[in-house]
Amino acid sequence: MDVQEDGTIQISGMSSEKLKAAEEFVNNLVAGGGGGGGGGRGGKREPRPKYVGPMPEEGAILTGKITGIHQFGVFLEIMPGAEDGSTPALEGLCHVSELHIERVRNCEGFVGSMNTETLEVKFLGINAKGQ
């Protein structure tokens, strides 16, 4: 399959059955039916549930449970959600530049070497996107 810059799609192959299946697949994609659950920005998503508990004060020192470690920083659960799971916890990002006074080159390795499931963080607030 070859897609030209003007949007023209050329399909070639040895099996007429496979060509027909590929043509149906492309027609379905072009018609907006989608071919699967992949990425893109056109899909309809349900809105994410919002944290409804009390917001911490800006500048407060909190102990957060580590929920994810990435190259760019650490995600922490800083305020618990409902015990029954009906509302999510308040999560925040501790950027890699905020982990130590010296440069941290490998966030995963740095946090992993600490052998801890929690970090003390300072709550700086919520940004314009509500994050």
Side-chain angles (χ1 to χ4, degrees):
M1 183 175 358
D2 186 31
V3 181
Q4 303 296 319
E5 292 207 19
D6 67 352
T8 305
I9 301 171
Q10 179 181 2
I11 303 171
S12 59
M14 301 298 277
S15 166
S16 60
E17 292 174 10
K18 298 284 184 178
L19 281 171
K20 186 73 173 162
E23 182 180 1
E24 288 176 16
F25 177 78
V26 170
N27 287 334
N28 188 27
L29 276 176
V30 172
R41 295 184 177 255
K44 295 178 183 174
R45 291 187 186 180
E46 292 182 22
R48 290 183 76 179
K50 302 281 185 190
Y51 173 73
V52 294
M55 292 302 286
E57 292 182 28
E58 287 189 23
I61 305 296
L62 305 167
T63 300
K65 178 183 171 190
I66 298 172
T67 59
I69 305 172
H70 302 275
Q71 293 177 352
F72 53 85
V74 181
F75 283 98
L76 304 158
E77 177 184 298
I78 55 176
M79 298 291 280
E83 288 184 18
D84 64 358
S86 60
T87 59
L90 179 64
E91 284 196 344
L93 171 67
C94 180
H95 191 264
V96 65
S97 65
E98 302 287 337
L99 286 174
H100 197 271
I101 57 172
E102 294 181 16
R103 181 175 180 197
V104 175
R105 294 179 188 270
N106 180 349
C107 187
E108 293 99 336
F110 179 79
V111 174
S113 70
M114 296 171 70
N115 292 326
T116 184
E117 294 181 8
T118 61
L119 290 177
E120 275 194 6
V121 293
K122 183 177 186 178
F123 182 72
L124 299 177
I126 304 279
N127 68 11
K129 294 180 182 178
Q131 300 173 331

